[in-house]
Amino acid sequence: MTKGHRTFGLLGFPLGHSFSRRYFTEKFSNEGVDAEYVNFEFDSLDKLSEIFRRYPDISGFNVTIPYKERILDWLNDIDETARTIGAVNTVKVYHDNTDGYWLKGYNTDIIGFSDSISSMLTSECHSALVLGTGGASKAVMAGLRKLGIEAIPVSRRNVEAGFSYARLTPGIVSEHKVIVNTTPLGMFPDIYSFPDIPYEGIGVGHVCYDLVYNPAFTAFMGKCRDRGANVKCGLEMLYGQAEAAWDLWNNENY
C-alpha cells in the first residue's frame, strides 16, 4: 500500500442515486485529505477483485443496495454488531506486507439511524413498523431495539414475527407509533410512489421516518404529515453513517 494518497469508494448497483461520492469528495477537499472517493458500480460481486487491481491504495469502501447482505460471504472478518444485524455497509481494508488484503465489515447505518431518530421519539413510542426487510431494514430494527422500541418488520410476504402489507389494518398502524420506510419507494426519479399501508391509521402521535433522502420530502412523508405525524427523511442518517465510516477507516484500534 502506498503512503499518503488513499482511495475509498462505494460498492453497489446502480449508483445513480448515491450522495456518497460528492459528500466525501467535498470532505477531502475541505479538510485537505489526500484521498479520492470512487463509485464501484458493479453488477456482480464477482468483479470485486477489480477494486484491488485498479486501486492498490484502497483503504475502505461503503456498501449499498443490493450488496449489504451478500458482501458478508466475501469478507475475512465481520464486526460483532454487523454480524448480529446480518448486514454490512462499511468495509475496512487492511494491507499486509505481501500485497494481500484483509477485509473487515462493519455496520454504521445503525449509528446514523439511531442518532437521527432519537430526538423525535416520545413516551408514546413503544413499538415500530419497519417497512421492508433488506439490509437497511435490519440495521434500523437493531437501532430501534437499542433505543428500547419493539421493531416489527412489514414485508410483501408473510414474515416470522411480522406483518405482510396485506395484513396491515388502520388499527395495527394506529397501535405502532413509529413507522420507518426502508424501501426505495419514493426515491428519485419515482418520486410519486409510496409504501402501500393504511395511512388513515396514522395520527398526531406518530413518528414517520423515511430512509429515502432524494427527494428530501417524499410522498410517504407527505401522506404521514397530512395525518399529523412528525416526519423526517434519511439525509441526517446518511451524514451520520458516513462520518462513522470515516472514523472507522482512520481508527487504528479497529
Side-chain angles (χ1 to χ4, degrees):
M1 175 180 173
T2 59
K3 299 288 186 180
H5 182 83
R6 293 180 294 167
T7 298
F8 301 91
L10 176 66
L11 173 66
F13 187 84
L15 292 179
H17 67 280
S18 174
F19 99 122
S20 297
R21 186 174 188 180
R22 181 179 71 253
Y23 178 81
F24 278 106
T25 298
E26 292 178 356
K27 179 181 179 67
F28 296 157
S29 177
N30 293 337
E31 299 181 10
V33 176
D34 183 13
E36 64 178 322
Y37 195 93
V38 181
N39 278 350
F40 305 124
E41 192 170 17
F42 298 158
D43 59 5
S44 170
L45 283 179
D46 291 335
K47 300 179 181 179
L48 191 63
S49 60
E50 290 186 22
I51 295 177
F52 311 104
R53 179 176 58 81
R54 294 168 57 186
Y55 303 96
D57 60 354
I58 184 76
S59 295
F61 55 91
N62 298 118
V63 184
T64 188
I65 296 172
Y67 298 134
K68 289 187 178 185
E69 297 165 289
R70 301 181 201 174
I71 192 67
L72 272 67
D73 292 334
W74 297 76
L75 302 175
N76 301 105
D77 194 10
I78 304 170
D79 172 71
E80 183 178 349
T81 298
R83 188 184 300 278
T84 300
I85 292 171
V88 161
N89 79 316
T90 300
V91 174
K92 186 169 183 176
V93 180
Y94 297 85
H95 299 251
D96 62 30
N97 294 328
T98 61
D99 293 328
Y101 300 93
W102 182 271
L103 308 182
K104 184 169 182 178
Y106 299 85
N107 194 302
T108 63
D109 279 338
I110 185 174
I111 299 172
F113 173 73
S114 300
D115 289 350
S116 180
I117 199 173
S118 60
S119 64
M120 303 175 69
L121 302 175
T122 70
S123 59
E124 296 182 74
C125 298
H126 303 295
S127 59
L129 296 176
V130 179
L131 312 181
T133 55
S137 169
K138 292 180 177 181
V140 163
M141 292 182 65
L144 289 168
R145 289 165 181 156
K146 182 180 177 182
L147 293 169
I149 297 173
E150 180 186 11
I152 302 169
V154 179
S155 172
R156 286 172 292 181
R157 296 174 292 275
N158 289 324
V159 292
E160 185 177 353
F163 295 104
S164 66
Y165 285 99
R167 287 181 56 203
L168 285 185
T169 65
I172 292 173
V173 171
S174 178
E175 291 173 5
H176 300 87
K177 298 304 182 186
V178 179
I179 302 178
V180 183
N181 175 37
T182 72
T183 79
L185 290 171
M187 180 182 294
F188 180 85
D190 191 19
I191 63 174
Y192 299 110
S193 64
F194 49 83
D196 183 16
I197 65 173
Y199 290 91
E200 59 268 32
I202 294 173
V204 173
H206 273 83
V207 170
C208 296
Y209 194 106
D210 198 338
L211 264 61
V212 172
Y213 59 90
N214 182 16
F217 191 82
T218 64
F220 168 76
M221 292 168 63
K223 292 180 74 67
C224 295
R225 190 177 69 175
D226 287 347
R227 304 288 304 180
N230 188 13
V231 302
K232 181 183 278 190
C233 79
L235 188 58
E236 186 176 88
M237 171 183 170
L238 274 178
Y239 285 121
Q241 64 83 22
E243 286 301 320
W246 182 242
D247 289 343
L248 280 171
W249 291 331
N250 290 282
N251 191 329
E252 295 182 358
N253 295 322
Y254 287 95

